[in-house]
Amino acid sequence: MTKLDVEAIRAEVRALHFRRGSLAEVAAWREADAESRANLAIEDMALEPDEDALFDMLRDEAVPPPLATQILLKLYDHPDADPALAITPIGAGK
């Protein structure tokens, strides 16, 4: 698996124009993330450290969950990704 350059992704996220979540929304999203990560660990599918860092960064940047999903789709060059989203797919240009 390709290592994620979380700081490069952060720079691209910061350049996006979107409504950031409020402090209360981000707190709720963090709680839901923690629950999801715990469930993944129980299922022996724990995230890699760079994946954890990516999700932490998305919460630090107050990215709403629907946009976070779109960012992930674009990062992994998924066919359902929004082609207009200014996020560089992992491994592009290598």
Side-chain angles (χ1 to χ4, degrees):
M1 175 178 224
T2 304
K3 179 140 175 55
L4 299 172
D5 184 345
V6 175
E7 290 311 310
I9 298 166
R10 180 188 307 271
E12 291 184 346
V13 167
R14 286 183 174 173
L16 297 174
H17 297 285
F18 65 94
R19 187 191 71 77
R20 289 174 173 4
S22 68
L23 291 176
E25 288 171 322
V26 172
W29 299 338
R30 283 187 192 280
E31 186 176 316
D33 280 357
E35 187 175 312
S36 294
R37 292 180 203 193
N39 288 335
L40 286 171
I42 289 168
E43 296 294 326
D44 199 27
M45 298 175 6
L47 297 176
E48 296 295 324
D50 58 333
E51 294 169 329
D52 267 329
L54 174 65
F55 284 102
D56 288 342
M57 179 276 293
L58 292 171
R59 293 300 159 242
D60 291 346
E61 297 298 328
V63 176
L67 178 57
T69 299
Q70 282 301 311
I71 290 169
L72 291 171
L73 290 173
K74 187 69 181 267
L75 283 171
Y76 289 99
D77 205 20
H78 190 278
D80 292 338
D82 178 354
L85 187 61
I87 297 292
T88 305
I90 297 169
K94 287 190 176 183

